[in-house]
Amino acid sequence: MQLYNKLSAEEREKLIDESGEDRLTISFYQYHQIKNTEIFRNYLFIHWDAQEVLGRIYIASEGINAQLSVPSKRFYEFKDFLDSIPFLKDIRLNIAIEQDNKSFLKLKVKVRDKIVADGLNDDTFDVTNKGIHLKAKEFNEIISQENTVLVDMRNHYESEIGHFQGAITPDVDTFRDSLPIIEEDLKDHKEDKNLVMYCTGGIRCEKASAYYKHKGFKNVFQLEGGIIEYVRQVKEEGLENKFLGKNFVFDQRRGERVSEDVIAQCHQCGASCDDHVNCANEACHLLFIQCESCKEKMNHCCSDECKSIYELPSEKRKALRKGKVVSNKIFKKGKSPVLKFKKQNT
């Protein structure tokens, strides 16, 4: 019985091309107590592998966080399977704004301590006492009020390429970093301001809203379904779009265009640009923003050093990487010192 992905990304990409079939990029989450995470993990993998589902799924005792790519022709089969699981029946599915058949190239179902790394001790507060959920229309109305503080619960590299008008965008690397910073900055407004939060698909706000209510904030709200669902409702209902730029996504696409505004700049030359790439040097793989001109000039690399390494024969590159761990460098994202026009701390 197969319980793990056996195909490389290259092999899967070839199969997708050969099939000529469209796929849907979908995300969903659900907080629910799962007693045996390993058994549930294997159960999902067996069924989804058979349905040709690809993606990144995290299972924890507190629930599930899933980002998937599903063959379009098998969507209803996929949905029927979800509905067969009581706590996932009729779950809201966030369907990507822009589709890409290669958004995911492997099926990875992993058991984690938490479905989002928030750094919180859930035993110290009521995680079910969440903020008020807002539809897109309600969200637009409340953020236009003077007594509202709008906070982006995402990381700096996400908000850098796109955010809501007037939002506070914490300069943080991780979600857990933002929680104490926001609490401290807004400590004098726990009773007189509306605290309105948003994130990509809503999952970070679920926990954050309960945390801030526990910390004494009286009027806590969250955008239901996050940016993805907001954009869908705006288009469907003909509402005013108040989101500028791109919505960062955690798959091969790295971003979905929401408005034509380009609010970021190339991290190498400063030109207007909001396209994230990974450094082509496998020993680096740094995530940063790079324009087409710099891609050509730098051969898809983040620095002259990486460019020189990338242009070496593959065997020499492998020898240089051997025994070295550089994963932490990846997570510096757009703040690496090699990037001249990186986002500055504020």
Side-chain angles (χ1 to χ4, degrees):
M1 183 181 296
Q2 182 178 337
L3 292 174
Y4 295 92
N5 177 78
K6 292 184 178 180
L7 294 179
S8 68
E10 292 76 16
E11 290 171 323
R12 180 65 69 179
E13 187 171 6
K14 183 179 179 181
L15 288 176
I16 291 173
D17 285 338
E18 290 175 350
S19 74
E21 297 173 350
D22 290 332
R23 302 178 68 89
L24 292 172
T25 302
I26 297 168
S27 61
F28 69 89
Y29 67 89
Q30 183 70 290
Y31 281 99
H32 179 83
Q33 187 176 8
I34 300 174
K35 292 183 179 179
N36 195 317
T37 54
E38 194 65 38
I39 289 177
F40 185 60
R41 178 261 171 216
N42 293 344
Y43 178 71
L44 292 180
F45 188 95
I46 291 168
H47 283 80
W48 282 342
D49 185 56
Q51 294 176 349
E52 302 178 82
V53 173
L54 304 173
R56 186 188 305 111
I57 301 93
Y58 297 141
I59 307 295
S61 58
E62 66 176 0
I64 179 172
N65 181 13
Q67 299 171 69
L68 306 160
S69 171
V70 181
S72 297
K73 68 178 183 180
R74 306 189 79 160
F75 173 76
Y76 290 105
E77 179 185 350
F78 167 78
K79 182 67 169 62
D80 287 343
F81 171 65
L82 289 184
D83 287 343
S84 72
I85 302 171
F87 80 93
L88 295 179
K89 182 175 174 56
D90 296 325
I91 188 79
R92 183 191 64 244
L93 300 176
N94 286 330
I95 299 177
I97 303 164
E98 299 175 350
Q99 294 299 331
D100 186 326
N101 289 342
K102 300 174 184 177
S103 58
F104 291 101
L105 296 173
K106 292 184 178 182
L107 175 59
K108 297 181 180 180
V109 187
K110 298 183 177 182
V111 174
R112 293 285 181 86
D113 291 334
K114 289 196 171 190
I115 54 177
V116 174
D118 53 37
L120 298 175
N121 181 353
D122 295 353
D123 294 332
T124 62
F125 66 102
D126 183 0
V127 296
T128 67
N129 184 24
K130 297 174 288 191
I132 297 172
H133 286 67
L134 299 170
K135 302 288 189 183
K137 183 178 180 180
E138 300 167 323
F139 179 83
N140 280 357
E141 291 171 353
I142 198 170
I143 66 173
S144 66
Q145 298 174 12
E146 291 185 3
N147 65 330
T148 291
V149 178
L150 179 61
V151 181
D152 192 322
M153 298 305 299
R154 302 172 304 153
N155 307 326
H156 73 87
Y157 57 92
E158 297 173 80
S159 60
E160 184 176 6
I161 63 169
H163 55 75
F164 281 102
Q165 301 171 30
I168 295 172
T169 56
D171 188 26
V172 295
D173 294 328
T174 66
F175 171 53
R176 69 172 66 189
D177 292 338
S178 68
L179 294 171
I181 291 174
I182 293 168
E183 182 187 358
E184 175 63 24
D185 288 350
L186 302 179
K187 63 183 179 181
D188 295 330
H189 300 289
K190 290 186 176 182
E191 296 192 10
D192 66 332
K193 296 285 188 181
N194 295 320
L195 173 57
V196 180
M197 296 174 290
Y198 70 90
C199 57
T200 308
I203 188 170
R204 284 175 270 193
C205 295
E206 289 287 300
K207 188 67 70 68
S209 67
Y211 173 76
Y212 287 128
K213 290 186 73 174
H214 167 69
K215 287 294 185 176
F217 287 85
K218 302 300 182 184
N219 306 303
V220 181
F221 303 83
Q222 63 193 85
L223 178 59
E224 185 177 48
I227 300 163
I228 297 173
E229 177 64 11
Y230 173 86
V231 174
R232 187 194 69 78
Q233 291 179 21
V234 163
K235 290 181 178 179
E236 189 175 89
E237 300 174 27
L239 304 174
E240 179 184 359
N241 171 42
K242 293 182 177 290
F243 189 91
L244 302 173
K246 274 184 177 180
N247 179 30
F248 185 95
V249 292
F250 294 88
D251 58 52
Q252 298 292 331
R253 297 169 299 149
R254 303 188 187 92
E256 296 178 318
R257 174 68 61 194
V258 178
S259 80
E260 295 306 312
D261 306 277
V262 178
I263 65 172
Q265 61 184 156
C266 174
H267 286 160
Q268 292 177 314
C269 72
S272 179
C273 180
D274 56 9
D275 293 332
H276 274 106
V277 299
N278 286 107
C279 179
N281 175 18
E282 298 96 325
C284 175
H285 210 56
L286 180 74
L287 179 72
F288 67 108
I289 297 174
Q290 187 178 51
C291 68
E292 290 299 322
S293 176
C294 288
K295 281 181 185 177
E296 183 177 352
K297 177 182 176 182
M298 299 299 296
N299 201 5
H300 300 261
C301 292
C302 70
S303 64
D304 289 330
E305 179 184 3
C306 280
K307 182 173 180 287
S308 63
I309 293 173
Y310 181 61
E311 291 171 351
L312 292 172
S314 61
E315 290 304 315
K316 287 189 176 181
R317 295 203 306 270
K318 289 180 181 178
L320 288 172
R321 295 200 306 273
K322 188 175 182 180
K324 293 183 179 180
V325 178
V326 296
S327 60
N328 285 340
K329 188 175 180 182
I330 299 170
F331 295 101
K332 289 181 180 178
K333 308 285 192 310
K335 292 184 175 181
S336 171
V338 304
L339 302 173
K340 181 179 180 182
F341 290 92
K342 63 183 180 294
K343 182 177 180 180
Q344 301 297 318
N345 291 329
T346 56

